[in-house]
């Protein structure tokens, strides 16, 4: 469960390290983002040689959350951090790899879920 002004780790090789949530996309009154939701983020920390600039505003998809996620079989999944992957303004991926685990339900929730899952190394 992520809300505005939440700091998020970036878990792809786009060059960004830390991002801050500006807005949760999808509805004007949406207060919280869950796994698979789209966000508008501002980049706070970057690697030294990166094509992503500090302070830039990008779209992102939430792929890991500390908040529990309930599966259809009744089990719960939670992660240790809130993580996103960065998309550009045309909603195309800015990365070629995703670090860490990704849930398989992301494929159904987001239009870029299949692309994110194919670039990930571990699917839970």
């Amino acid at each position: 469960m992520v809300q505005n002004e939440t700091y998020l780790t970036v878990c792809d090789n786009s060059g960004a390290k830390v991002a801050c949530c500006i807005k949760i996309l999808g509805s004007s009154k949406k207060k919280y983002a869950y796994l698979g939701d789209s966000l508008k983020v501002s980049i706070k920390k970057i690697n030294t040689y990166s094509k992503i600039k500090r302070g830039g505003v990008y779209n992102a998809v939430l792929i890991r959350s500390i908040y529990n996620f309930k599966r259809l079989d009744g089990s719960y999944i939670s992660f240790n951090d809130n993580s996103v992957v960065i998309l550009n303004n045309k909603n195309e991926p800015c990365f070629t790899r995703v670090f860490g685990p990704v849930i398989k339900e992301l494929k159904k929730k987001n239009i870029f879920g299949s692309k994110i899952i194919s670039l990930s190394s571990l699917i839970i």
Side-chain angles (χ1 to χ4, degrees):
M1 192 161 53
V2 173
Q3 56 188 351
N4 289 345
E5 300 298 322
T6 302
Y7 276 70
L8 310 159
T9 59
V10 179
C11 60
D12 57 21
N13 63 346
S14 61
K17 289 182 180 178
V18 177
C20 179
C21 177
I22 296 174
K23 182 72 179 159
I24 298 154
L25 301 177
S27 176
S28 62
K29 296 184 180 185
K30 199 166 186 181
K31 289 178 82 172
Y32 303 111
Y34 300 97
L35 290 175
D37 286 348
S38 297
L39 309 168
K40 200 65 122 158
V41 296
S42 173
I43 305 300
K44 297 298 181 184
K45 283 187 182 179
I46 59 168
N47 290 333
T48 41
Y49 300 106
S50 171
K51 63 181 179 179
I52 302 249
K53 301 299 178 195
R54 185 176 176 273
V57 177
Y58 294 93
N59 292 330
V61 176
L62 185 66
I63 64 167
R64 286 196 293 266
S65 176
I66 296 174
Y67 189 73
N68 291 338
F69 175 76
K70 185 177 181 183
R71 288 199 163 157
L72 293 176
D73 62 355
S75 63
Y76 287 93
I77 295 176
S78 65
F79 296 99
N80 292 333
D81 61 345
N82 296 319
S83 298
V84 293
V85 291
I86 303 293
L87 307 172
N88 62 11
N89 290 334
K90 297 177 185 174
N91 287 332
E92 298 169 351
C94 294
F95 54 89
T96 56
R97 280 193 314 183
V98 176
F99 304 117
V102 176
I103 61 167
K104 61 185 175 185
E105 286 85 3
L106 190 66
K107 192 173 196 176
K108 297 175 188 171
K109 290 192 88 171
N110 195 343
I111 56 173
F112 293 105
S114 60
K115 178 78 172 172
I116 293 169
I117 287 177
S118 67
L119 295 174
S120 176
S121 61
L122 182 62
I123 300 166
I124 296 178

